[in-house]
């Protein structure tokens, strides 16, 4: 059954006559009759009983209706995907990201992308920011977005800063550090640092420790934030994850010379790959969102 035959078969089945089906498809009755006859010949089956100008579907015709619908839907999907490719719109997008931006932002961004590009399949992988360039270098994903915390990046990976993002050194308001008017390096070393854990180039799980071996390493910023809230230690957290309303009530920004850091929020993609319209639209959404934190 070819797509053109499936279209005619379904139209005649649903309209109940060749004349009505011809009007629906804007084709001649002769053409429809010929296509139906060729379909029955190919299948070696009787799909309609004919009597004069009337035509009645057989039980077999009704039985294969769902299969004909699926065949036509699959054909139209193939056509649309080919049209997307010709138009520079990705048929699939494999995306990696960190969680330095809130989950509510990402959910809204993905909804906006699917509304704009409904035929593009999007896969999203959450990873620590240190792992993003490697995922792109290995071409595990097409593009990645997150903080640039990697000191050495594969030369095949193109890095594009989208905006600067502030990291704040915080603790809970109940933490001992929150009571100190000014914090020294030794004060930080004396208390647990909650930091990121990631898989390095040797495929070992390592902590992103800056000050000491007194640490608790977790793979996501939101887990780190929860641990800080539970008074497990202090940490650097991206500004978008700490609402202004929570400063002074849940969290304390620690007063120290190292209390504020600026890092680039970047896009990473393989140097030889060209970004399609879906990836470019996501970059636009990210830049617009990040502008409020400048």
């Amino acid at each position: 059954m070819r797509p053109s035959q499936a279209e005619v078969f379904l139209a005649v089945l649903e309209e109940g006559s060749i004349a009505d089906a011809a009007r629906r498809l804007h084709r001649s009755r002769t053409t429809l009759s010929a296509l139906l006859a060729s379909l029955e010949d190919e299948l070696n089956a009787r799909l309609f009983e004919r009597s004069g100008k009337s035509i009645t579907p057989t039980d077999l015709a009704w039985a294969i209706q769902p299969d004909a619908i699926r065949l036509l839907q699959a054909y139209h999907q193939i056509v649309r995907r080919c049209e997307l490719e010709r138009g520079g719109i990705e048929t699939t997008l494999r995306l990696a990201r960190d969680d330095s931006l809130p989950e509510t932002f990402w959910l809204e961004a993905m909804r906006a992308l699917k509304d704009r590009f409904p035929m593009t399949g999007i896969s999203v992988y959450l990873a620590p920011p240190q792992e993003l360039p490697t995922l792109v270098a290995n071409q595990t994903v097409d593009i990645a977005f997150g903080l640039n915390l990697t000191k050495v990046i594969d030369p095949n990976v193109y890095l594009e800063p989208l905006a600067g993002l502030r990291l704040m050194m915080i603790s809970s308001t109940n933490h001992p550090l929150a009571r100190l008017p000014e914090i020294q390096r030794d004060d930080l070393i004396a208390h647990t640092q909650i930091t990121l854990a990631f898989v390095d180039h040797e495929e070992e799980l390592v902590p992103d420790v800056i000050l000491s071996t007194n640490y608790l390493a977790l793979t996501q910023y939101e887990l780190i934030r929860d641990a800080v809230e539970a008074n497990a230690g202090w940490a650097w957290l991206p500004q978008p994850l700490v609402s202004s309303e929570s400063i002074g009530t849940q969290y304390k920004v620690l007063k120290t010379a190292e209390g504020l850091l600026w890092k680039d929020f970047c896009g990473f993609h393989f140097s030889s790959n060209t970004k399609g319209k879906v990836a470019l639209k996501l970059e636009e959404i990210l830049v617009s969102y990040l502008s409020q934190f400048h």
Side-chain angles (χ1 to χ4, degrees):
M1 181 182 287
R2 298 188 298 275
S4 58
Q5 293 172 324
E7 183 180 43
V8 170
F9 166 72
L10 290 170
V12 174
L13 191 66
E14 292 162 5
E15 296 295 334
S17 74
I18 291 179
D20 290 340
R23 281 190 288 271
R24 168 173 152 179
L25 299 177
H26 304 290
R27 304 177 74 174
S28 71
R29 286 179 291 177
T30 303
T31 300
L32 267 61
S33 295
L35 282 169
L36 275 185
S38 68
L39 175 60
E40 289 179 319
D41 288 343
E42 289 179 16
L43 297 178
N44 191 24
R46 180 62 62 87
L47 301 177
F48 297 92
E49 298 290 349
R50 297 162 177 84
S51 177
K53 293 184 178 181
S54 66
I55 186 167
T56 304
T58 64
D59 291 342
L60 178 59
W62 289 113
I64 67 172
Q65 180 191 29
D67 297 318
I69 291 173
R70 294 187 187 97
L71 186 151
L72 201 56
Q73 289 174 339
Y75 171 73
H76 288 154
Q77 186 172 13
I78 290 170
V79 170
R80 285 194 294 268
R81 289 195 182 280
C82 292
E83 290 173 347
L84 290 179
E85 190 70 27
R86 290 195 300 271
I89 300 173
E90 303 93 324
T91 56
T92 62
L93 180 65
R94 301 171 302 162
L95 166 68
R97 66 168 180 88
D98 67 10
D99 69 333
S100 57
L101 305 182
E103 291 301 313
T104 51
F105 161 77
W106 282 108
L107 287 172
E108 179 60 24
M110 293 302 102
R111 185 199 62 77
L113 284 183
K114 289 300 295 179
D115 285 349
R116 179 74 176 271
F117 307 101
M119 291 303 298
T120 298
I122 303 174
S123 302
V124 184
Y125 184 73
L126 180 62
Q130 295 91 337
E131 296 179 22
L132 298 179
T134 301
L135 290 170
V136 172
N138 295 339
Q139 299 194 64
T140 304
V141 299
D142 303 308
I143 197 165
F145 293 100
L147 292 174
N148 178 24
L149 301 184
T150 307
K151 296 180 176 61
V152 179
I153 294 181
D154 188 294
N156 290 316
V157 176
Y158 180 74
L159 182 153
E160 184 175 3
L162 301 182
L165 205 57
R166 186 169 66 174
L167 273 68
M168 302 185 295
M169 183 185 287
I170 67 168
S171 71
S172 76
T173 53
N174 297 322
H175 194 275
L177 290 175
R179 296 194 292 270
L180 296 176
E182 187 174 347
I183 297 169
Q184 305 298 324
R185 186 181 182 89
D186 289 343
D187 298 323
L188 296 173
I189 293 174
H191 295 87
T192 300
Q193 177 186 356
I194 308 172
T195 188
L196 281 169
F198 63 96
V199 177
D200 66 8
H201 63 282
E202 296 179 352
E203 297 188 354
E204 293 185 2
L205 184 65
V206 297
D208 187 15
V209 177
I210 298 177
L211 292 177
S212 75
T213 57
N214 181 9
Y215 63 83
L216 170 61
L218 305 171
T219 56
Q220 297 177 27
Y221 278 120
E222 292 202 346
L223 297 176
I224 293 174
R225 184 186 60 190
D226 292 345
V228 169
E229 187 176 348
N231 210 23
W234 61 271
W236 273 286
L237 280 177
Q239 183 182 359
L241 296 185
V242 184
S243 66
S244 56
E245 295 81 8
S246 65
I247 299 297
T249 56
Q250 292 174 276
Y251 309 111
K252 173 72 178 295
V253 178
L254 302 180
K255 295 182 179 180
T256 170
E258 298 175 307
L260 296 176
L261 297 175
W262 283 92
K263 295 292 182 181
D264 285 330
F265 188 94
C266 298
F268 306 85
H269 70 273
F270 202 74
S271 57
S272 61
N273 292 348
T274 302
K275 287 182 287 187
K277 293 183 179 180
V278 183
L280 291 171
K281 180 60 180 178
L282 180 53
E283 282 189 358
E284 179 185 320
I285 293 171
L286 281 161
V287 170
S288 175
Y289 177 79
L290 290 165
S291 65
Q292 66 185 294
F293 301 105
H294 288 178

